[in-house]
Amino acid sequence: MAAKRGIGSAPVHGRRVLVRVDFNVPQGPNGEVADDRRIVEALPTLNHLRAAGARAILLSHLGRPGGHRDPRFSLRPVAHRLSALLGQPVPVADDIVGMKALELAARLENGQFLLLENLRFHPGEEANDPAFAAQLAHLGELFIEDAFGTVHRAHASTVGIPKRLPSFAGLLVEREVRELSRLLERPERPYAALVGGAKVADKLPLLRSFFGRVDTLLIGGALAFPFLAARGGSLGVSPVDPALAGDVTEFFREAKESAVEVVLPTDLVVTRAGHEEPEVYPVDGLPPDASAFDIGPATRARFLERLAPSRTVFWNGPLGRAEDPRFRAGTRDVLSGLASVPGYHVAAGGDSARILNDLGVAGAFRFVSTGGGAALEFVQGLELPGLAVLPDA
Ligand code: ADP
Ligand code: 3PG
Ligand code: MG
């Protein structure tokens, strides 16, 4: 997609600059920041603004509080972590768009930051309410969009503000667009997509978007079950949604037409009642009481063999229940093998990015998107409202 007008051309010195960031981070049991990657990835833009003498007002959501104040989703722990990373205090405006927020914004000095409390405490955010968007816009003079993870949402902060203020892409958004565009525009071939995860209905559009675009499509995780079942596999009690049978038939028909090679697991790691240790079975021979949670060793080797000649690889979705040490070998072995395959490798997905670090295989990727749904929509070539609204460079 065309590059967006970037922060480099924004006249920010001495101005009140609204910055949409995606601080929707994983939280610990007491609301603490469990993974600060999205905060860290916003730092280049925030450091740029500080160095340029901007007065930055940061806007984010956290979780899905549903339009009312819920202390479990307060951004205060995020402000705390951000202060430590920036080495300067970041006060929080609790009232979001009230008198207090206006006062705090007006009192900002060059190089200072203010964080508004969770935008989703206000019902106007997700409703893209014009009055709420106008109130937010009133707090600043310019708008920087740096919340790549949220550009697939048409909310007050992502489309309402940029319709009202001169708007620019932040450094993270610029980088995400540049990197992910490489998958859409002339990727080096062969191009392979490796997709796992659990929610088949959610991932079908992603899988189908690869027809005509990739050379090889490898499917793992629980996502593979309905495809295996359609090919006659007996999967024991592993979840297979019968409502998807029609879609799966259509999927194989389209795959054949587009000449994409679809690679499915040949063996699976299963558990059975009364059996302590997980066992491995071929996909056409699971015992009736078996439930599958990972791809087996033969599948891992086959996946790597198919990935080896690729020069572009996109990965989304764990190949098994990777949070559980008993079922992480499939994802870990395939991704650590991928690390020694040369080429351009991109990872995307909320759970996927997190698991990469836990498994210590982030080195397999040239780029790991901060987007979950946003990145998956981007690589499908869909229009993202929060990007569409920004002027081109
Ligand atoms: P992402 O958020 O990166 O797009 P998904 O949400 O699609 O990824 O999938 C992540 C989840 O899928 C993980 O929590 C993982 O445990 C689960 N999963 C993958 N394979 C299996 C499986 N065979 N059985 C149970 N859960 C699985
Ligand atoms: C994400 O984590 O995908 C973004 O922050 C968007 O969050 P949402 O799915 O609750 O809109
Ligand atoms: Mg997920």
Side-chain angles (χ1 to χ4, degrees), residues 196-198 203 221-222 225 292-294 316-323 348-352 376:
K203 293 271 170 97
F225 299 162
F293 291 103
D294 197 6
N316 163 255
L319 305 178
R321 190 201 270 172
E323 297 88 344
D351 294 294
S352 305
L376 299 187

Side-chain angles (χ1 to χ4, degrees), residues 196-200 219-227 239-240 292-294 318-321:
K199 294 184 201 134
V200 186
I219 306 175
L223 189 62
F225 299 162
F227 300 98
V240 177
F293 291 103
D294 197 6
L319 305 178
R321 190 201 270 172

Side-chain angles (χ1 to χ4, degrees), residues 86 97-98 119 124 129 145 188 218 230 247 288 290 292 303 319 324 334 355:
L86 287 168
V97 288
L119 297 175
D129 172 48
E145 174 56 275
E188 201 183 334
L218 305 105
D247 290 333
F303 276 19
L319 305 178
D324 185 328
V334 172
I355 280 162

Side-chain angles (χ1 to χ4, degrees), residues 78-239:
V78 167
H80 190 73
R81 177 66 61 93
L82 179 62
S83 302
L85 289 166
L86 287 168
Q88 88 184 59
V90 179
V92 177
D94 283 315
D95 61 347
I96 307 176
V97 288
M99 279 311 290
K100 194 75 199 301
L102 274 168
E103 257 174 56
L104 287 169
R107 265 197 266 135
L108 280 172
E109 290 176 16
N110 293 2
Q112 290 188 334
F113 298 93
L114 170 67
L115 174 64
L116 301 190
E117 190 43 290
N118 192 341
L119 297 175
R120 291 189 185 171
F121 284 178
H122 196 293
E125 166 63 358
E126 287 172 90
N128 188 14
D129 172 48
F132 181 61
Q135 280 179 299
L136 286 173
H138 188 60
L139 290 168
E141 300 160 84
L142 301 173
F143 177 69
I144 308 287
E145 174 56 275
D146 215 26
F148 181 75
T150 317
V151 290
H152 59 319
R153 306 288 183 218
H155 294 167
S157 65
T158 58
V159 301
I161 300 174
K163 282 188 180 150
R164 290 169 169 83
L165 290 178
S167 298
F168 304 82
L171 295 170
L172 176 61
V173 162
E174 285 191 311
R175 188 155 70 100
E176 292 268 6
V177 168
R178 191 171 59 238
E179 297 288 340
L180 296 177
S181 291
R182 286 181 61 172
L183 298 172
L184 294 170
E185 292 154 17
R186 293 185 299 281
E188 201 183 334
R189 297 196 171 273
Y191 176 10
L194 172 65
V195 186
K199 294 184 201 134
V200 186
D202 287 359
K203 293 271 170 97
L204 260 171
L206 175 72
L207 294 177
R208 294 174 62 177
S209 78
F210 289 123
F211 293 145
R213 299 204 358 244
V214 303
D215 302 292
T216 310
L217 178 55
L218 305 105
I219 306 175
L223 189 62
F225 299 162
F227 300 98
L228 291 169
R231 290 211 167 153
S234 57
L235 297 171
V237 291
S238 312

